[in-house]
Amino acid sequence: MEPLPTPCPARLVPDATGAGSFDAAYRQARSRHAVFVAIESQGERWTVKADTLTAGPGHTVDDVVADAARDAVLRLVAAGEVRSDAHAGPVYYVLHGVDSEDRAREIAAALHAALYGDPGPLTRVAPEAP
C-alpha cells in the first residue's frame, strides 16, 4: 500500500471495509506518522473515518480548523448526508450513512485536507446554508 499524499485526493482514499483492510490502513498511517483516513462499506451506505492519533504527538489541529471540521460535520448531518450519530473530533471522526462511495471519498478527502490545516475543501463539500 502506497503512502497517501497530503492532502489525499478522493480517488486514493482507501476502502477499509473489513477488519483486515481497516487494520492494514490504520497500521500504515501509524507507521508513517500520518493522519488516518478511510471509507468503509456499511451495507448500502458508507462510513468515513479519520483519526489524528496515528500522526503522532507532533501533529496538531488548531482550534480554528477543528471548529471548521466540527461545523462541516454538523452541516452534513443537518443536510441528511450523514447520520446524527456522527462523531466530529477533535481526535477522531466517524460519519455514518453516506449515500455513495464517491460521496464518501469526497468527504473523506476534504476531511483529510482539513486535518492537515486546509479547511477549504471541507467547506466546499459541506457549504454553509445561504
Side-chain angles (χ1 to χ4, degrees):
M1 187 180 290
E2 291 295 314
L4 298 177
T6 305
C8 181
R11 73 184 189 291
L12 297 180
V13 171
D15 179 348
T17 302
S21 296
F22 177 87
D23 290 344
Y26 196 87
R27 273 194 313 274
Q28 181 188 42
R30 190 175 56 227
S31 72
R32 298 181 196 273
H33 302 287
V35 171
F36 169 78
V37 65
I39 60 170
E40 290 181 312
S41 174
Q42 304 282 309
E44 293 184 20
R45 303 273 181 176
W46 290 82
T47 295
V48 172
K49 293 184 176 181
D51 189 333
T52 62
L53 289 177
T54 54
H59 181 84
T60 59
V61 177
D62 71 35
D63 290 342
V64 171
V65 172
D67 290 346
R70 184 194 67 245
D71 292 347
V73 170
L74 292 173
R75 287 192 301 275
L76 290 168
V77 168
E81 288 203 62
V82 301
R83 291 190 334 217
S84 62
D85 63 349
H87 185 82
V91 175
Y92 66 91
Y93 298 78
V94 180
L95 291 71
H96 297 286
V98 181
D99 281 343
S100 71
E101 179 180 358
D102 287 343
R103 184 62 172 156
R105 287 182 182 283
E106 181 181 26
I107 293 167
L111 181 56
H112 191 252
L115 296 175
Y116 275 104
D118 181 7
L122 195 53
T123 302
R124 288 188 288 281
V125 299
E128 293 186 30

